[in-house]
Amino acid sequence: LQGFVGEGNRIAMEKKDSYHHKDLKNALVREATRRLDADPDADLSLRGMARDLGVSAMAPYAHFSNKHELLEAVALLGHEIMLKQVKTVAMERSGLEDKLFAFGKTYLIYHREHPGLFHLMFEQPRRPDGSPVRLAAEKLVTVASEAILEETELPDEAAVFQLIDLMVATVHGIALFSHRSLLRSLDNSGADPLDLVRLAAEGIAARVRELTV
């Protein structure tokens, strides 16, 4: 009888794992994303998440050979989420300054809402050329750049890309430094980081106008 009960438990566990395996890969990515959004320093061990998802400790390894592979899948999902938001802004016809501000605002708010994902996407060592996450990041830049180019009349695309790089670097710095309360102008005036994004957009748009005269 004891052997029969043990066999029954084994079959039940196999059925449980089989059920979860149908969507375990996505479940792991979603759970890791949720944990990072709640705490950028969250523990993302495969065994720990397997326990919380109610599957065997080895089940996640059918989809990810190690933690790094899971984190790359999470970063890829983060880029997919952000790309949808960037495409929405790209479709709006709003003029150069407002377009720059809208992209900057999207970037800043994404950082506020997904600090862990943001860190995983943009603050890791350079990924190899051709890696899925790197290609996703390049797609983000391409969509935004093409939308900004449509709002300018500059014949020199190199100059436009230089200004785009300046905007991206500026907004990235605003996101990181405001999150760490390192921007004195905000502490002293009570302004919002978006005010700085607007100033950056105004300055770059003004420079573009100078170059087109």
Side-chain angles (χ1 to χ4, degrees):
L1 180 59
Q2 183 177 358
F4 178 78
V5 172
E7 179 68 9
N9 287 339
R10 183 187 66 79
I11 294 173
M13 287 298 296
E14 287 181 353
K15 287 183 177 179
K16 183 179 182 181
D17 279 353
S18 177
Y19 170 77
H20 284 283
H21 279 187
K22 292 177 181 178
D23 198 33
L24 180 57
K25 183 176 182 179
N26 289 331
L28 287 165
V29 172
R30 288 194 299 269
E31 175 63 14
T33 301
R34 184 193 67 77
R35 291 188 182 195
L36 282 173
D37 283 344
D39 177 9
D41 298 319
D43 175 28
L44 298 180
S45 71
L46 291 174
R47 289 177 179 270
M49 286 195 292
R51 180 180 61 252
D52 292 345
L53 291 173
V55 297
S56 68
M58 297 305 295
Y61 292 94
H63 306 285
F64 303 106
S65 61
N66 52 48
K67 178 180 175 179
H68 174 73
E69 285 190 5
L70 170 64
L71 292 178
E72 288 297 279
V74 173
L76 191 59
L77 175 62
H79 278 292
E80 291 172 357
I81 294 170
M82 193 173 192
L83 181 60
K84 291 180 181 178
Q85 299 172 358
V86 167
K87 284 182 174 179
T88 298
V89 174
M91 290 188 296
E92 299 172 355
R93 300 294 297 180
S94 53
L96 178 59
E97 181 183 320
D98 287 340
K99 181 64 65 69
L100 288 169
F101 175 73
F103 278 130
K105 180 180 179 180
T106 297
Y107 195 85
L108 192 64
I109 291 177
Y110 188 92
H111 178 265
R112 286 178 180 175
E113 296 179 347
H114 307 285
L117 270 179
F118 187 94
H119 176 77
L120 196 58
M121 293 160 60
F122 299 114
E123 298 178 57
Q124 301 299 307
R126 178 186 172 92
R127 291 177 170 92
D129 292 341
S131 72
V133 176
R134 183 167 178 80
L135 291 174
E138 291 172 354
K139 178 67 173 178
L140 274 176
V141 174
T142 298
V143 171
S145 298
E146 290 177 350
I148 291 170
L149 278 171
E150 291 178 359
E151 300 288 353
T152 71
E153 298 178 359
L154 283 178
D156 184 4
E157 287 192 1
V160 177
F161 286 126
Q162 187 179 50
L163 294 173
I164 291 173
D165 286 346
L166 175 60
M167 185 69 187
V168 171
T170 300
V171 174
H172 185 80
I174 293 171
L176 294 184
F177 278 75
S178 63
H179 180 69
R180 297 168 185 169
S181 300
L182 295 176
L183 294 176
R184 288 177 293 178
S185 64
L186 301 185
D187 292 337
N188 296 335
S189 66
D192 188 276
L194 286 174
D195 296 331
L196 297 181
V197 174
R198 173 60 76 179
L199 281 175
E202 289 175 355
I204 291 175
R207 179 57 178 162
V208 170
R209 288 193 294 270
E210 291 176 2
L211 293 174
T212 54
V213 173

